[in-house]
Amino acid sequence: MTIQHQARKRFGQNFLVDQQIIAQIISAIGPSAEDNLIEIGPGTAAITEHLIKRCPSMKVVELDRDLVSFLTEKFAAYPDFSIFSGDALKTDFAQFHNGRPMRLVGNLPYNISTPLLFHLIKVRELIQDMHFMLQLEVVERLGAVPGNKTYGRLSVMVQYHCRVMPLIPVPPESFRPAPKVQSAIVRLKPHRTKPCTAENEDLLSQLVSHSFQQRRKTLRNCLKPYAGHLGSAAEEIDLSRRAEQLSVAEFVTLSNHIHQSMMRAK
Ligand code: SAH
């Protein structure tokens, strides 16, 4: 079954047409029948039709209702296949956890990729791994190290929770229509044991947001809302530095000092 589907810009639709890239993606994922496999934005099933052969119980989340009808028909012969019609950003992924950790896959619409990553981080404990096609620039931000100009809130928060592995660069010609930017496949694997642990992860997240809000300012300036709690942190972390110079571990140290100070003040 084929489909005449006019790609919709508002749904960020760039369909994969490059069979070689598709084969590389499938082999990087290595799906198997027991996996709790979920694809976000299956579109016209370029990746789905390969995944489903190895994992007939896979699930998909798709926003475009025309594509939902198409997929329902196309995969009617797979009784264990399920389609969730709706917005991945508003989907509670915890509902898909069936005792097996989730494996998430998707050639994501680039306009939702950052909010979607933050949305999925909330359920990281239920996730085995994620393989996403993203804008190359976003993959670079995910894997960036301190001092790099793309190192920011996304890098720190995703690296705190996951191991980031950039896998396959993908040129614009691999899609229809071709996007204006380069893309890449990245694998994200939530840490089983974190390299460093924040005692208060909400605080860490707020602190990282504040620190990168004005990249050019020193940490001491950015962290004015925590001014009363920076005493012991300042003994270990030089607050005249800027956020982009701090490693994930240093952000965690900073956060734990502030947390301790807040607890003492209670
Ligand atoms: N996986 C397909 C399609 C990629 S295009 C391929 O590689 O060819 C992106 C897909 O995500 C489209 O099918 C689009 O309709 C869907 N989509 C866009 N926004 C979405 C959202 N918020 N939630 C779920 N799916 C979405």
Side-chain angles (χ1 to χ4, degrees):
M1 182 181 170
T2 53
I3 183 176
Q4 290 304 321
H5 179 85
Q6 186 64 42
R8 296 191 166 110
K9 222 177 170 169
R10 75 194 147 99
F11 291 147
Q13 293 177 348
N14 296 97
F15 300 109
L16 260 171
V17 291
D18 185 331
Q19 291 305 321
Q20 225 171 328
I21 293 286
I22 294 171
Q24 286 181 45
I25 296 171
I26 305 297
S27 121
I29 298 166
S32 72
E34 319 71 63
D35 287 345
N36 181 6
L37 184 65
I38 302 151
E39 185 182 359
I40 301 170
T44 51
I47 307 174
T48 328
E49 63 185 353
H50 299 276
L51 294 174
I52 201 168
K53 285 183 197 147
R54 307 236 208 130
C55 182
S57 64
M58 71 176 289
K59 309 174 187 87
V60 298
V61 180
E62 174 57 62
L63 181 60
D64 185 332
R65 282 165 191 252
D66 290 346
L67 292 173
V68 169
S69 315
F70 160 77
L71 293 160
T72 309
E73 224 174 293
K74 181 172 171 86
F75 297 120
Y78 289 87
D80 296 332
F81 171 68
S82 0
I83 306 186
F84 294 80
S85 172
D87 184 345
L89 286 175
K90 295 188 187 134
T91 300
D92 173 15
F93 281 82
Q95 70 180 301
F96 301 136
H97 184 74
N98 57 8
R100 297 196 67 92
M102 298 183 271
R103 303 197 67 199
L104 300 172
V105 174
N107 167 13
L108 298 183
Y110 295 162
N111 54 338
I112 68 159
S113 57
T114 303
L116 187 63
L117 289 172
F118 279 106
H119 182 59
L120 294 173
I121 277 181
K122 288 186 239 154
V123 291
R124 65 200 169 259
E125 271 141 26
L126 308 177
I127 298 176
Q128 179 178 328
D129 58 21
M130 303 177 253
H131 289 84
F132 292 135
M133 174 89 72
L134 301 168
Q135 240 172 285
L136 177 62
E137 188 246 317
V138 175
V139 171
E140 283 168 357
R141 271 163 54 200
L142 288 173
V145 296
N148 187 302
K149 67 178 187 321
T150 63
Y151 182 72
R153 171 172 170 252
L154 186 69
S155 330
V156 176
M157 293 317 298
V158 171
Q159 288 173 27
Y160 173 73
H161 291 292
C162 305
R163 211 172 129 204
V164 178
M165 288 164 269
L167 298 179
I168 309 164
V170 185
E173 313 80 79
S174 298
F175 305 87
R176 293 277 181 292
K180 292 203 173 66
V181 294
Q182 299 286 329
S183 306
I185 295 279
V186 66
R187 177 187 294 145
L188 303 173
K189 233 173 140 52
H191 298 301
R192 288 277 157 271
T193 315
K194 289 201 178 74
C196 47
T197 307
E199 289 159 31
N200 179 341
E201 292 183 345
D202 290 333
L203 175 67
L204 173 72
S205 165
Q206 289 162 22
L207 200 67
V208 172
S209 292
H210 278 293
S211 301
F212 283 104
Q213 243 151 33
Q214 289 164 295
R215 297 180 68 95
R216 312 302 308 162
K217 286 197 174 177
T218 65
L219 286 164
R220 193 177 289 288
N221 247 314
C222 294
L223 298 179
K224 284 214 171 112
Y226 308 93
H229 298 287
L230 292 174
S232 74
E235 289 170 22
E236 220 171 312
I237 309 278
D238 175 2
L239 299 176
S240 67
R241 293 156 77 196
R242 292 197 305 255
E244 65 196 40
Q245 299 167 296
L246 237 60
S247 68
V248 176
E250 287 174 311
F251 270 113
V252 171
T253 302
L254 187 59
S255 169
N256 287 347
H257 275 291
I258 295 174
H259 176 66
Q260 287 296 328
S261 164
M262 285 174 157
M263 296 306 281
R264 283 194 297 272
K266 266 196 180 162

